[in-house]
Amino acid sequence: MMAGVNADVQRLARQGLPEVVYAAGKTVAQVQAAVSALHAANGCVLATRVSPAVAAVLSTEGAVYDEISQVWSRGALPQMAEVAPVAVICAGTSDLPVAEEAARVLEFGGVEVLRVVDVGVAGLHRLLKRVEEIQRCSVVIVVAGMDGALPSVVGGLVRQPVIAVPTSVGYGASLQGIAALLTMLNSCAAGLAVVNIDNGFGAAVHALRILLGQGILK
Amino acid sequence: MMAGVNADVQRLARQGLPEVVYAAGKTVAQVQAAVSALHAANGCVLATRVSPAVAAVLSTEGAVYDEISQVWSRGALPQMAEVAPVAVICAGTSDLPVAEEAARVLEFGGVEVLRVVDVGVAGLHRLLKRVEEIQRCSVVIVVAGMDGALPSVVGGLVRQPVIAVPTSVGYGASLQGIAALLTMLNSCAAGLAVVNIDNGFGAAVHALRILLGQGILK
Amino acid sequence: MMAGVNADVQRLARQGLPEVVYAAGKTVAQVQAAVSALHAANGCVLATRVSPAVAAVLSTEGAVYDEISQVWSRGALPQMAEVAPVAVICAGTSDLPVAEEAARVLEFGGVEVLRVVDVGVAGLHRLLKRVEEIQRCSVVIVVAGMDGALPSVVGGLVRQPVIAVPTSVGYGASLQGIAALLTMLNSCAAGLAVVNIDNGFGAAVHALRILLGQGILK
Amino acid sequence: MMAGVNADVQRLARQGLPEVVYAAGKTVAQVQAAVSALHAANGCVLATRVSPAVAAVLSTEGAVYDEISQVWSRGALPQMAEVAPVAVICAGTSDLPVAEEAARVLEFGGVEVLRVVDVGVAGLHRLLKRVEEIQRCSVVIVVAGMDGALPSVVGGLVRQPVIAVPTSVGYGASLQGIAALLTMLNSCAAGLAVVNIDNGFGAAVHALRILLGQGILK
Amino acid sequence: MMAGVNADVQRLARQGLPEVVYAAGKTVAQVQAAVSALHAANGCVLATRVSPAVAAVLSTEGAVYDEISQVWSRGALPQMAEVAPVAVICAGTSDLPVAEEAARVLEFGGVEVLRVVDVGVAGLHRLLKRVEEIQRCSVVIVVAGMDGALPSVVGGLVRQPVIAVPTSVGYGASLQGIAALLTMLNSCAAGLAVVNIDNGFGAAVHALRILLGQGILK
Amino acid sequence: MMAGVNADVQRLARQGLPEVVYAAGKTVAQVQAAVSALHAANGCVLATRVSPAVAAVLSTEGAVYDEISQVWSRGALPQMAEVAPVAVICAGTSDLPVAEEAARVLEFGGVEVLRVVDVGVAGLHRLLKRVEEIQRCSVVIVVAGMDGALPSVVGGLVRQPVIAVPTSVGYGASLQGIAALLTMLNSCAAGLAVVNIDNGFGAAVHALRILLGQGILK
Amino acid sequence: MMAGVNADVQRLARQGLPEVVYAAGKTVAQVQAAVSALHAANGCVLATRVSPAVAAVLSTEGAVYDEISQVWSRGALPQMAEVAPVAVICAGTSDLPVAEEAARVLEFGGVEVLRVVDVGVAGLHRLLKRVEEIQRCSVVIVVAGMDGALPSVVGGLVRQPVIAVPTSVGYGASLQGIAALLTMLNSCAAGLAVVNIDNGFGAAVHALRILLGQGILK
Amino acid sequence: MMAGVNADVQRLARQGLPEVVYAAGKTVAQVQAAVSALHAANGCVLATRVSPAVAAVLSTEGAVYDEISQVWSRGALPQMAEVAPVAVICAGTSDLPVAEEAARVLEFGGVEVLRVVDVGVAGLHRLLKRVEEIQRCSVVIVVAGMDGALPSVVGGLVRQPVIAVPTSVGYGASLQGIAALLTMLNSCAAGLAVVNIDNGFGAAVHALRILLGQGILK
């Protein structure tokens, strides 16, 4: 039979960030094997989409599990001491799991996070009173489902790179997040970049790539 | 052969608004026949999606044609004297044809229009300084392509009925207006109603139905 | 961790209608917190998409829960004394949950409702004998799944603003309500406005915005 | 090089109806070859989707060409003397080309046609006053674009087999006829059968198969 | 609260076929009420999409329930004595539930059925040896999932009206039956008519409308 | 400015087949540069999707251009002397351009072609009388638009590898070839492999890869 | 009632490969009947998509069941002694079930398999160090979900026929494998052929058709 | 009539980048007005999607127009002296217009560009020999149509932020760039961010936002 899980233990050296275990669709044994190999190689490890049942099995000294975001981690990369926090903004309460996935991956990567919750565009005043705080961040991640309109508004209010994360929150014509994804790809605010639906992890890694590159001057 | 164009000349009496001629996909002769029959019956007539070539043929005393919106009209319904204007707001310059179609249908229906142009959400300050004016209107029509985010923002700023009109402005993942349509259907601002892509006419008629109903009290 | 639920307790003052709690995708604790905050601020509160399990937890003196529509409410806004009822019409028995969601939100908003059930276009006589009653209403909400044809027919029979609500009732090529949604967006009856699939709540709020605006004259 | 056009000259004997030439996407030479072979074999021939330019080349004694439907024919099958007419009903003027394609294929097949034009559901009275006439027909073909709602209404008013033909008439969310197609497939009137968008020809052939089968008793 | 189920007890008189109860999405009480009202009015009744649990509740003297097709019936219309059987053909074993739904509705309508099972086009010899039998039928219903190719092949082998029923059998790019539906709508065999995915009931009713119309001569 | 066209002149050595120029979307100068570089390197060159205008510019001694398939070539690879021909089968006359593209790429690759034209499944007898000839080929390419049903039928009649090519022939629900593509991906004949819509070239290269591999034994 | 399962016991003689039982959507009794009939006729039998529960029922002497791929088999065809192995390559651990389905069908067909696991393009070095081994195979099957990019890369590195299998692995915009399917159909590596999403079986049969044809020379 | 073009002349001060004129869908007069207002305010201006005809009208001293990318500019922002170049990589010749749009917007923004052309994954060696050069850049933009696989491969080879731009290059199942877009959204290389189809402009602005933020430390 086919052998599985061929963890890329050298990715930290090659790319500055270690491989992260995507637990969905893997057996518990596969997750455990990958987690062990990566922790052994890198001294820290993070896994996403970890169900409570799998987290219970992985549970070990020093491990942290967050049920909302289904992120499991053990250890972390060293803090990037001089980097301003990344803002993680979300439109509604139901977007929290995705926003928190992004936040925890950022913290694992050594970056501070400014969480801004429940500031959907239907009540603009809630966002407007947080703008200055957000403008002091290094990168801005905006998480929204349903109409996905929040990143366009934020994109017009800040100069930072904005990463938009559509979520599958909604029903009917939200098409499991396709509506929000399309909104963000068509944003009238220039320079937004978009990741897959519910992909808080990907947004965080894009931000980490940006922050790791702060030193890449001529 | 099949005979065509069976104009509904009694719709004014039945519904308070006369039939309007949709010129796209009709021959010049069919448009002309419908326009004549409706003018004879109602004393006024309006046609939408009239190409300049067809407009040239229709040209007659008292007719007005607007090339941007492709609306052609002759005469109008009596002014609704006591009704506040309808706001017609559009996100970008390219949305003007659809917004103007709505505006001209409203004016034909006897209602004043407040035009608010180029107030897309990527530059929120442009919209915010017009809000009070908009809040004094009776109904608000919001026209937007690309991300279609403007109606959600407007919907949270006013108490009036908001009618959202997606446009086919954009490219790639805008899918000829489907992206904007989905955004609007999933709006996080409660109580938005949506019409077909580029359907400025339909939005105006929904507004006219609302305003004609002002007297329907118990 | 991210804190959640940031209820918009001033929306009643700002928009004439209080925020409504959308319970789907929220934890019981989040629903309860939002419900309490809004009741404290406004003296009444309504929640939609409340499962029987959550309703049992919310249960309190004066609360009403309807299992069909999954609407939970406590108190209501004052009656709009002089406004004619809103007609809520539905095509088939399976559309009842969505129609009843609309009806209960309207009643919470202080408006009387005329319910007209099971009048699908395949048996036109059932609708035709109710038309006069419907014509005496202030606004008409039409709920239909499958072919979604009913709003087009109603739209041609009345002069009121018609709000069309597609439902996810059907199978196969109904595409979970997309077919009915498209039908309604393409209605040959002018002036129909459409809300998201199964969004009885949104249709009711659009109607309430119309009725609250009855006084907006010049 | 590949040789083309391999006309099925024995189909008349095998199926009771001769092969018909679909001219779109064929070169003039290919159309001409097919038309000649079929006329020689069957004594009559019909071609659909014939552009005026191609029709001019095909022009010959006894040939008839209709520009609206783009149907070209020479001769016809013998009349089915005892069969009641087929009703061909269309919702709007823009649906005429498709309706007329169906009508001309039926007449070529030896069946009388009752044409009923411009009876869309937004003005129901126009349809209702033609119902008795339609009920005396053998088969009913209903052609409609935009919301595609007409076949559902007709299907509830008659007992005959109803064949629904969606057209690509409309814009935006009509998706080139997909909206009307979906409406018809989800009709709440039982027993409707549907053909491809703009396929007046296919509807007519289904009707002819029904009428040719009148004698298939035990 | 809204009252439900408004059974159309006069449909038998009006259309020659009684209303049939579609049980999916209805409560047991709603199904029972409809079944009783229709049996009282017509002396026979049929329900589709009846789960075994609901069937157990409906169980009464003279009722028949088939688990494969989920059809429940009590009594039947009188036999159409002189009509040749309808062929119900299916491509694979997994299409049986849909084919059997069609067969049982036909038998309820008083028509004999010729069942032809498991004759998919990948093993053409299985179909070819049944062709003559099929050619002696009055109408041909062809049920197929996956590639949906069978109706095109059958349509070229018989002269009867062919009704194609796509099923949701398949996976991946079958898109829950959309692939088979599109195949059938684009059939190169002229005169095929198509019903919704898994709609064995609709195909049977179209066939019954054809057979009831055998007498509609001039 | 960006320089273009970086022809892969070593592909012949690396993969056994030279790079082929895809002319659509390239400027005449880009096509000419690629053609020259590849001819210089390999002694032969082929270009696909060459419009007559571009072909006129490329015209040179020894070049061959076919207007139907829009294939332009100069020279060819050596004949594979012992390999049986590849069958290229197409359903209808309108599929010829795609089938001929496949055929000419195969001939350029040194393989003989058996062309079988106009054998769509609606007239099965046409295909059945060619089956033995096809069974003597090495590989079978089947080209079909509309319902795309032909490859399923062929796949059940032969033992060879069958490569299915959907074409964009059709209208309405053919969705520019998506319908035929889905049919082929869902074929009930096991072992069919599919290429992109209208991709005669890709089918031919897959066949050439198979035939070049004849010697890859242990 | 309709009888089911009409196993094609002569397919081995006709096509060189026996019919395989697709167990999904069949009752246990139907699977058992088909398995018995095919084993009796051919001396070996294979079934795919067999759930553990069904496998337990089928369990018999000499039967082998693999839970990962859900393949059940008893016996096998004779080994093709001189044929080089088929490479079955997969991008990630979650693609293993589909890859293993392909591998087991190949082994049942008498062909050796080279399994290459977890070589996704995001860590190209893992693939590059296996390339020479893969180049010594007869046919290459590449299985990938999410972006589906692996087959394009492999297709450029080998000269063999490459069969691409998209999997439903992924979330959000992967659209249950549609994204990977589209990637593969649009591959810039010429000569890739594609099968349905998750169809490891179909890829294996296409490979077996190729290998069985090794002797088809002129 | 509605007045148009309300250029946001203060965006440079607010966001660090001036408004850019999107010329598609605007009249020549509207483009000219916007260009003049922005040049007057900022001392430099850039317009995208400028057809040659419009460029001819805009032509003025110091203006530069590139026909391939349809970018028109006059002046530029000051050079960012210490920033490493941005790599703009494209898969094929047909992707050049989009890649060059990105490159010219970057140069207008004061950043040097490393152009890497025609390095599609089907000939991996072409990319591999440019990798070190790319690794010395600050940000990496990857432009690809058809399968859109290049960004996944690049994303695994570099540590920089990677911005993926799908193009509408391709045919059939490329769905005008949707296939490439989906590939990129599902990339197995972590941390890719994606912009709209053909949106070279947006990718460049995201890169500029990143580079402008180099100084945002705590």
Side-chain angles (χ1 to χ4, degrees), chain F residues 28-170:
Chain F
V28 179
Q30 288 171 336
V31 175
Q32 219 159 10
V35 157
S36 298
L38 288 162
H39 191 270
N42 303 323
C44 63
V45 62
L46 183 141
T48 62
R49 313 277 167 119
V50 179
S51 68
V54 172
V57 177
L58 293 183
S59 147
T60 185
E61 215 191 294
V64 179
Y65 177 63
D66 172 54
E67 248 188 64
I68 294 269
S69 60
Q70 308 222 308
V71 171
W72 181 98
S73 61
R74 193 173 163 206
L77 293 177
Q79 280 289 116
M80 295 190 201
E82 288 169 38
V83 166
V86 171
V88 177
I89 306 177
C90 80
T93 306
S94 311
D95 302 318
L96 270 175
V98 179
E100 189 63 22
E101 183 184 88
R104 286 178 175 257
V105 172
L106 287 163
E107 289 171 345
F108 176 77
V111 177
E112 225 176 299
V113 174
L114 172 72
R115 287 161 168 91
V116 181
V117 177
D118 239 347
V119 293
V121 301
L124 212 54
H125 56 291
R126 295 176 299 184
L127 173 65
L128 294 179
K129 69 184 181 210
R130 304 293 300 270
V131 168
E132 280 179 42
E133 231 178 319
I134 296 167
Q135 284 169 336
R136 284 192 298 271
C137 290
S138 55
V139 174
V140 180
I141 292 174
V142 189
V143 180
M146 298 179 70
D147 57 19
L150 185 57
S152 287
V153 173
V154 172
L157 294 170
V158 306
R159 8 173 113 214
Q160 284 82 348
V162 174
I163 308 167
V165 190
T167 73
S168 53
V169 169

Side-chain angles (χ1 to χ4, degrees), chain B residues 2-3 5-6 22 196-197 199, chain D residues 93 96 100 117-118 171 173:
Chain B
M2 286 191 147
V5 184
N6 183 2
Y22 175 72
N196 194 5
I197 298 163
N199 191 5
Chain D
T93 306
L96 271 175
E100 188 63 22
V117 177
D118 239 347
Y171 61 91

Side-chain angles (χ1 to χ4, degrees), chain E residues 45-107:
Chain E
V45 62
L46 182 140
T48 62
R49 313 277 166 119
V50 179
S51 66
V54 173
V57 177
L58 294 183
S59 149
T60 184
E61 212 191 296
V64 180
Y65 177 62
D66 172 53
E67 248 188 63
I68 294 269
S69 60
Q70 309 222 306
V71 170
W72 181 97
S73 60
R74 192 173 164 205
L77 294 178
Q79 280 290 114
M80 296 191 199
E82 287 168 41
V83 166
V86 171
V88 177
I89 305 178
C90 80
T93 306
S94 311
D95 302 318
L96 271 175
V98 179
E100 189 63 23
E101 183 184 88
R104 286 179 176 257
V105 172
L106 287 163
E107 290 170 345

